[in-house]
Amino acid sequence: MEFRLLGQFELRDGDRGHHLGGPMQRTLLAHLLLAGQAVRTTDDLTRRLWGTADSSTSTLQVHVLRLRRLLKATGCSATIETSPGGYRVNLGDDTADVTEFHRHIASARNTDDEVRELHALDAALDLWRGTPLTGVTADWPRFPEVRALTEARDEARTRRAELRMTLGRSPDLQDLRDLIAEHPEREHTRHLLMWALHRAGRRKEALATYEDAYRYSVGQLGLEPCRQLRELQHLVLSGG
């Protein structure tokens, strides 16, 4: 079975989904899965669930017991283990998409072969189905591991575009536009989009990309775009 966190939070067995309890059990399970093989201390869990480490540990124990029963009822092999000072998830024969994402990202970083790197990034990004942990009640962006996940995804998207261009392939232009909308301050992404459009013979769109970058940089930062963007604008204008 697979625990899915990179989109709607769910446990899937092929096409079949399994009930993961009420809001507290689902949130508790999500925090444990985000920790991977690491132990979440009792203080950390109570702080994450109730905003303070002073909450009753007996209340946490009740929710852990309920979660254990829920997991057993699904027939999955994952279990909640008690460790000194806290709890951890042992996935057993099950998988978690967040764990697979990190594995593919590590594979991409650890190869010198650009084709293999691209394949690893494709595999990592294919696991994403939307906003992480959709359907779980919590302010997820405030937790560092969720912010790190999103940042790793955006870095992978940018690197994938670079590799596709290096390998003579066309990057996903809409994905680059989405990245710019999400992070308008990142001039490197604007440069990638502008270069991809220029290489595809879409001169007008490439120049419009520069104009957007210029308006943002001057309007928000009080600076002209970076040298790489200005040089690329000159190249496009000259027909190079």
Side-chain angles (χ1 to χ4, degrees), residues 13-128:
D13 183 6
D15 294 332
R16 181 186 177 194
H18 290 275
H19 178 60
L20 290 174
M24 190 56 67
Q25 285 77 51
R26 292 168 63 82
T27 304
L28 171 60
L29 177 58
H31 280 298
L32 290 170
L33 288 168
L34 283 171
Q37 297 298 304
V39 174
R40 289 269 191 224
T41 66
T42 300
D43 284 351
D44 183 33
L45 283 171
T46 55
R47 188 179 296 108
R48 286 166 176 265
L49 293 171
W50 294 289
T52 173
D54 297 329
S55 297
S56 171
T57 56
S58 61
T59 304
L60 175 62
Q61 290 170 351
V62 168
H63 288 298
V64 169
L65 178 60
R66 291 175 179 171
L67 181 56
R68 282 172 169 157
R69 290 172 176 167
L70 281 165
L71 291 177
K72 185 176 181 179
T74 67
C76 71
S77 63
T79 57
I80 308 300
E81 297 181 344
T82 301
S83 297
Y87 302 93
R88 65 184 288 272
V89 172
N90 182 342
L91 286 173
D93 295 328
D94 299 326
T95 62
D97 59 2
V98 66
T99 302
E100 292 300 297
F101 173 76
H102 288 307
R103 182 176 66 81
H104 289 307
I105 292 296
S107 295
R109 289 173 178 165
N110 293 329
T111 182
D112 294 326
D113 185 301
E114 291 178 333
V115 173
R116 290 182 179 177
E117 183 182 0
L118 180 57
H119 286 164
L121 292 176
D122 282 337
L125 292 169
D126 283 347
L127 294 168
W128 285 75

Side-chain angles (χ1 to χ4, degrees), residues 76-234:
C76 71
S77 63
T79 57
I80 308 300
E81 297 181 344
T82 301
S83 297
Y87 302 93
R88 65 184 288 272
V89 172
N90 182 342
L91 286 173
D93 295 328
D94 299 326
T95 62
D97 59 2
V98 66
T99 302
E100 292 300 297
F101 173 76
H102 288 307
R103 182 176 66 81
H104 289 307
I105 292 296
S107 295
R109 289 173 178 165
N110 293 329
T111 182
D112 294 326
D113 185 301
E114 291 178 333
V115 173
R116 290 182 179 177
E117 183 182 0
L118 180 57
H119 286 164
L121 292 176
D122 282 337
L125 292 169
D126 283 347
L127 294 168
W128 285 75
R129 297 167 290 107
T131 303
L133 297 160
T134 299
V136 185
T137 304
D139 181 17
W140 291 110
R142 74 184 178 91
F143 295 106
E145 59 267 54
V146 178
R147 295 196 301 272
L149 259 178
T150 304
E151 182 64 26
R153 178 197 61 182
D154 291 346
E155 289 177 358
R157 291 161 69 191
T158 303
R159 179 58 179 158
R160 178 170 66 176
E162 291 176 338
L163 286 169
R164 285 182 174 175
M165 293 180 67
T166 299
L167 295 168
R169 307 176 190 178
S170 176
D172 186 333
L173 298 180
Q174 186 56 54
D175 193 43
L176 285 173
R177 291 190 175 98
D178 291 343
L179 275 168
I180 291 169
E182 294 161 17
H183 305 284
E185 75 286 355
R186 297 185 181 179
E187 292 184 313
H188 178 58
T189 313
R190 293 183 186 272
H191 185 274
L192 283 172
L193 176 59
M194 190 176 172
W195 179 246
L197 289 167
H198 171 60
R199 199 171 69 173
R202 297 162 69 168
R203 182 174 182 270
K204 185 178 294 186
E205 292 175 73
L207 292 173
T209 300
Y210 177 83
E211 291 302 319
D212 287 341
Y214 183 88
R215 281 191 294 270
Y216 178 84
S217 189
V218 172
Q220 299 297 319
L221 307 176
L223 300 169
E224 286 194 346
C226 67
R227 177 177 57 83
Q228 288 84 358
L229 273 172
R230 297 197 307 271
E231 290 178 350
L232 182 52
Q233 183 212 26
H234 292 318

